[in-house]
Amino acid sequence: MLPPEPLLSVRDLRIAFGGVEVVRGLSFDVHAAEVLALVGESGAGKSLTARALLGMLPAGAARTGSVHPDLSGARGRRIALVPQDALSALSPVHPVGEQLAAAVRSVTRVSRAEARVRAVAALDRVGIPDAARRARSYPHEFSGGMRQRAVVAMATINEPDVLIADEPTTALDEERRDQVLGLLTEQREAVGAALVLVTHDLDAVRRFADRALIMYAGRMTELGPVRDVLDRPLAPYTAGLLACLPQPHHPRARRLPTLAGTPPTPDALPPGCAFAPRCAHATELCGREEPRPERVDGREVACHHREKV
């Protein structure tokens, strides 16, 4: 059971560019020591939502709503980002250990020697062999897997309350994906942090997350415990995403189903429910009124016809 007091509370979050809303009235909580997955197709607003928590929205973005407490002023200390591209996240002209030590000294008044000790310990904790020696290596001297471990070490070195991982397994095969997510969950547990995982990989969500927030066109479609959401979806969009997953008991040659149509662009949303043009259960009501989130069976769902799924 989740603790009664959330670590972060997001209420009516809206993010717009040039007056066009990309994230539209999103509300959710993040609890201590949990893994919350933000899930949806490209363009759903997942990454922008995560970056709003970090206070790292791109230039031109206008944000309203509340994130409480606001941890953006404590990046690297209370909230930290695990980036998608480890190579570009690390400076090519400084040793890896030096970069981790700098992360320590950016938030804590310790000597350079103490910061180096903490850097080596962090590399050792994420499984870098011979950490004291490898701390003197440059990023190009690390393998891809070691670089990923290094950025996880950097994100967790100051024991933040919240980790944000934005598509950390994009383009990885299943084995490498599981290694990275396993490492993330291990380090989250080691430092006692919550993890917000941005992904489109429902299999990874099932294996590593506690709760799932399904997003479509900038809004919440369904939010609840992973087992409930993925085993008994109440929203047609969630059910549609799940139907597209490979089924192990089917022949390999079987063609995978797809979710018909494409998500609307933020500047051309249809009236009513944004998913209605792609939904087999849509009625005239769906084309007229946008559904409001309602509490159902311990989760939140925004759908006029959830009983039909």
Side-chain angles (χ1 to χ4, degrees):
M1 180 178 293
L2 293 173
E5 290 297 322
L7 189 62
L8 282 178
S9 287
V10 178
R11 294 293 178 266
D12 196 28
L13 178 66
R14 297 176 183 272
I15 302 171
F17 292 88
V20 177
E21 286 192 338
V22 180
V23 174
R24 305 180 295 129
L26 196 63
S27 297
F28 62 93
D29 294 328
V30 180
H31 294 269
E34 78 162 332
V35 180
L36 173 67
L38 305 185
V39 188
E41 294 169 283
S42 295
K46 309 183 300 296
S47 292
L48 279 174
T49 298
R51 291 187 174 274
L53 301 182
L54 288 156
M56 294 175 60
L57 288 171
R63 196 205 88 175
T64 59
S66 66
V67 178
H68 182 78
D70 182 359
L71 301 182
S72 61
R75 281 199 304 271
R77 180 168 57 87
R78 295 196 61 195
I79 189 168
L81 172 67
V82 179
Q84 181 183 127
D85 185 353
L87 184 60
S88 64
L90 294 168
S91 167
V93 298
H94 296 93
V96 172
E98 184 179 308
Q99 296 182 57
L100 267 69
V104 172
R105 286 172 58 82
S106 70
V107 301
T108 309
R109 290 187 175 183
V110 298
S111 67
R112 293 181 185 277
E114 174 62 22
R116 285 195 294 270
V117 169
R118 294 191 189 183
V120 170
L123 290 174
D124 182 66
R125 192 174 64 222
V126 298
I128 299 292
D130 195 5
R133 180 177 64 86
R134 297 315 301 262
R136 298 191 294 272
S137 300
Y138 291 83
H140 72 271
E141 297 176 297
F142 276 31
S143 68
M146 289 173 65
R147 283 194 294 266
Q148 286 173 318
R149 290 177 180 273
V151 296
V152 171
M154 184 175 292
T156 58
I157 195 167
N158 292 311
E159 300 186 358
D161 297 323
V162 182
L163 287 168
I164 308 290
D166 189 359
E167 298 280 9
T169 60
T170 297
L172 298 182
D173 60 33
E174 184 175 353
E175 181 179 0
R176 188 73 159 283
R177 178 204 69 183
D178 288 353
Q179 289 174 353
V180 171
L181 291 176
L183 175 66
L184 270 173
T185 53
E186 287 173 8
Q187 295 307 302
R188 175 193 65 79
E189 292 169 358
V191 302
L195 172 62
V196 178
L197 174 64
V198 177
T199 185
H200 59 271
D201 188 338
L202 286 172
D203 181 56
V205 171
R206 182 183 293 278
R207 296 186 59 187
F208 293 97
D210 299 306
R211 290 191 301 143
L213 193 166
I214 312 297
M215 294 182 64
Y216 186 79
R219 295 190 80 224
M220 184 276 292
T221 295
E222 190 162 357
L223 169 62
V226 162
R227 288 183 180 273
D228 293 342
V229 171
L230 299 190
D231 291 343
R232 298 181 294 105
L234 295 178
Y237 178 60
T238 309
L241 290 177
L242 289 165
C244 297
L245 292 177
Q247 303 297 321
H249 58 278
H250 286 299
R252 290 193 177 190
R254 179 178 178 269
R255 186 173 182 179
L256 289 175
T258 59
L259 190 57
T262 57
T265 58
D267 60 348
L269 292 176
C273 175
F275 185 60
R278 306 174 69 188
C279 182
H281 305 293
T283 62
E284 184 270 340
L285 173 64
C286 304
R288 187 180 73 247
E289 293 183 13
E290 191 167 53
R292 295 176 178 272
E294 295 184 15
R295 190 81 176 170
V296 181
D297 295 334
R299 59 184 125 159
E300 293 182 57
V301 185
C303 178
H304 291 304
H305 301 296
R306 58 182 182 274
E307 72 280 357
K308 295 181 180 180
V309 177

